[in-house]
Amino acid sequence: MATTTEVEGPPPPPAKRGLLRYNSPLAQVSLLGLICFCCPGMFNALSGLGGGGQVDASTADNANTALYAFFAVFGVLGGAAHNLLGPRVTLMLGALTYPLYAGSFLFYNHHPHKQAFPVTAGALLGAGAGFLWAAQGAVMTSYPPPNRRGTYISLFWCLFNLGGVLGGLLPFSFNYNSGDDPKNVNDSTYIAFMAFMLVGAGLTVLVLPPARIVRDDGTKATRVTFSSPATEGVEILKLFANWKMLLVLPAAWASNFFYTYQFNNVNGGLFTLRTKGLNNVFYWGAQMIGSAGIGYFLDFGFASRRKRGLVGVVAVAVLGTAIWGGGLANQLKYRTVPLLHPIDFKDGHRYAGPFLLYFSYGLLDAMFQSLIYWIIGALANDSQILSRYVGFYKGVQSAGAAVAWQVDKQHTPLISQLIVNWGLMTISYPLLVLLVFLAVKDEDYSVSSVEEDGKEKDSKLSAPTSFH
């Protein structure tokens, strides 16, 4: 494959400051957070009800299997799509698939024997989510200054999960008088989710091209180079032999695997309908707390970036072991779901323990995933490389989730599901420690640098150009 020489761009513009500057990394990451607040944030709230809001979770299991199977493929391809189309178009294509998915369950509420629409919508959402999250990862890891990457990740995570918090209030309020008997959520819940998702899709038109993003010190946030389908195909294949990505792989597989168990068999199986919505308010609220805490530590905990990463992994490992241990203690109390007498938030002591556990699951999820994003962001500064890394991460993550939904569909014993989830996360911790020790350096690199090993220089790419 022919290579071309990189062309030097113009000197950086004078330093520009101001919190409200639209072309700043802060503004664009915040906008990205609002888009994800409306789209995947609301999707998370819907999924968190267990069974997509349906009493029988089999349709949601099949829809989510299709979703994550397609997500696994398009997550990996999403990095290439971002490099070819730019973030605005990639995000828009992804965001438009979310309201279709929510609408399919509105349809299913009235046609419970027609499962094809939700499953097809799940597959389309898998493709769209692969695009959206690859673009999100490239923006979130490449735009921020390297020494504030953790803070920006936590800012995004808080805005994104605010969608889950509000999304949890919707079924809680719309189904407050539903009583204790298990039943599907009402039409108003699905319609409200669709409305937010459509707003999120509309917000994507406000995303700026990467060439226009300028940090407060006046430097460009990332180099913008033209890529080709052939180049992207080769680079995607290389990811599967990249030792850094192989060390990330177990963590990526584990990072969404536990959702099926937590949503269907903890929140979906133990609580009344209105309480499920209330629990999600606190589950996603816990994610905001967890992300903010780990993000602050990863930026300011120690002078050494490598030491911050190592201690961060150890802290998440200790907390994760304690939380999954609590989950085991809770799981030993019941064998099947849903419970004959579901737990309501007014049940006092009976509610307190399972509620605290579900809250802790949300806390751990955000800390674990924010840590992984921070580590990936520390491996490179170039947005094209990072978009491929994040695409690989999301692809593997989604492949694991696809398997998890079918594991639940096969009525695998709940204790077995818990042990597998706990084991997968435990396996990932020492591999993340090894990755941080070998690949995360203390020095910060300028935007004109390439990966720290110096072997992936972008001589394969032609002169800089802007995305449209």
Side-chain angles (χ1 to χ4, degrees):
M1 180 174 62
T3 61
T4 57
T5 304
E6 185 182 333
V7 177
E8 288 292 335
K16 297 180 180 180
R17 298 183 180 276
L19 291 176
L20 301 179
R21 184 166 53 83
Y22 186 50
N23 67 335
S24 68
L26 177 63
Q28 290 298 298
V29 170
S30 298
L31 175 60
L32 186 65
L34 291 176
I35 293 169
C36 290
F37 164 93
C38 293
C39 293
M42 292 297 159
F43 167 81
N44 283 346
L46 177 59
S47 297
L49 294 172
Q54 302 290 312
V55 173
D56 183 359
S58 61
T59 298
D61 283 347
N62 289 331
N64 279 298
T65 299
L67 190 163
Y68 287 106
F70 274 73
F71 198 163
V73 175
F74 283 87
V76 176
L77 297 178
H82 170 268
N83 293 342
L84 294 169
L85 302 174
R88 180 189 297 160
V89 175
T90 308
L91 287 167
M92 182 181 295
L93 291 174
L96 287 171
T97 60
Y98 282 85
L100 178 66
Y101 180 81
S104 73
F105 279 93
L106 174 62
F107 171 86
Y108 188 74
N109 243 7
H110 297 276
H111 304 279
H113 301 294
K114 297 182 178 180
Q115 192 179 113
F117 186 18
V119 173
T120 301
L124 291 173
L125 176 57
F131 281 14
L132 182 142
W133 282 105
Q136 174 270 343
V139 169
M140 192 177 68
T141 54
S142 66
Y143 284 10
N147 62 340
R148 292 294 180 269
R149 192 169 278 129
T151 302
Y152 278 68
I153 291 173
S154 65
L155 169 65
F156 166 82
W157 212 260
C158 287
L159 289 171
F160 158 50
N161 284 304
L162 193 59
V165 171
L166 180 59
L169 289 174
L170 295 177
F172 176 67
S173 57
F174 291 156
N175 301 277
Y176 186 82
N177 296 316
S178 61
D180 293 342
D181 294 331
K183 52 177 64 71
N184 302 336
V185 301
N186 57 29
D187 289 356
S188 299
T189 305
Y190 291 119
I191 292 171
F193 282 138
M194 291 174 64
F196 275 101
M197 291 170 175
L198 286 169
V199 170
L203 288 174
T204 59
V205 302
L206 302 177
V207 175
L208 291 178
R212 294 180 57 187
I213 309 304
V214 180
R215 292 175 178 158
D216 285 345
D217 61 3
T219 61
K220 293 282 189 178
T222 185
R223 287 183 302 163
V224 182
T225 50
F226 175 77
S227 187
S228 69
T231 298
E232 292 302 321
V234 171
E235 294 303 323
I236 286 173
L237 291 176
K238 286 182 178 179
L239 292 173
F240 293 91
N242 186 315
W243 64 271
K244 299 169 196 169
M245 293 298 97
L246 294 179
L247 289 176
V248 168
L249 193 149
W253 185 274
S255 61
N256 267 15
F257 201 92
F258 48 71
Y259 278 163
T260 309
Y261 171 77
Q262 293 174 5
F263 292 161
N264 279 6
N265 302 318
V266 180
N267 196 38
L270 301 184
F271 302 97
T272 61
L273 179 56
R274 65 182 184 182
T275 305
K276 295 175 192 178
L278 181 64
N279 288 348
N280 276 336
V281 172
F282 289 95
Y283 181 92
W284 301 113
Q287 297 232 357
M288 297 167 67
I289 297 171
S291 179
I294 193 73
Y296 182 86
F297 173 79
L298 290 171
D299 278 349
F300 303 107
F302 298 98
S304 166
R305 183 165 67 166
R306 178 182 290 162
K307 187 175 182 180
R308 294 197 301 268
L310 292 172
V311 175
V313 175
V314 172
V316 171
V318 171
L319 181 65
T321 302
I323 290 173
W324 281 110
L328 177 61
N330 182 70
Q331 184 60 71
L332 292 174
K333 298 177 182 178
Y334 64 95
R335 290 181 177 273
T336 60
V337 292
L339 296 182
L340 183 61
H341 301 290
I343 302 169
D344 191 72
F345 73 96
K346 293 184 177 181
D347 287 348
H349 179 72
R350 182 171 179 244
Y351 173 65
F355 163 77
L356 181 60
L357 173 65
Y358 192 61
F359 178 91
S360 299
Y361 280 148
L363 189 77
L364 177 62
D365 177 25
M367 295 181 69
F368 187 59
Q369 292 209 57
S370 294
L371 175 68
I372 297 170
Y373 270 114
W374 183 89
I375 293 172
I376 291 174
L379 300 179
N381 285 312
D382 185 274
S383 65
Q384 290 195 342
I385 295 171
L386 288 172
S387 69
R388 297 179 194 120
Y389 283 0
V390 173
F392 179 87
Y393 166 67
K394 297 302 292 186
V396 173
Q397 178 188 71
S398 302
V403 172
W405 287 105
Q406 277 306 298
V407 167
D408 186 62
K409 179 70 166 51
Q410 301 305 316
H411 304 291
T412 303
L414 302 184
I415 189 69
S416 299
Q417 293 189 42
L418 182 145
I419 291 172
V420 168
N421 281 303
W422 190 357
L424 286 172
M425 290 191 71
T426 301
I427 291 170
S428 71
Y429 299 138
L431 300 179
L432 290 177
V433 167
L434 183 61
L435 177 61
V436 172
F437 182 77
L438 295 177
V440 175
K441 298 185 181 299
D442 290 333
E443 298 83 2
D444 287 333
Y445 290 82
S446 69
V447 73
S448 61
S449 68
V450 294
E451 278 196 292
E452 70 287 338
D453 61 9
K455 296 180 180 179
E456 295 190 32
K457 192 170 181 61
D458 288 295
S459 58
K460 302 172 184 175
L461 307 176
S462 62
T465 184
S466 62
F467 289 117
H468 299 286

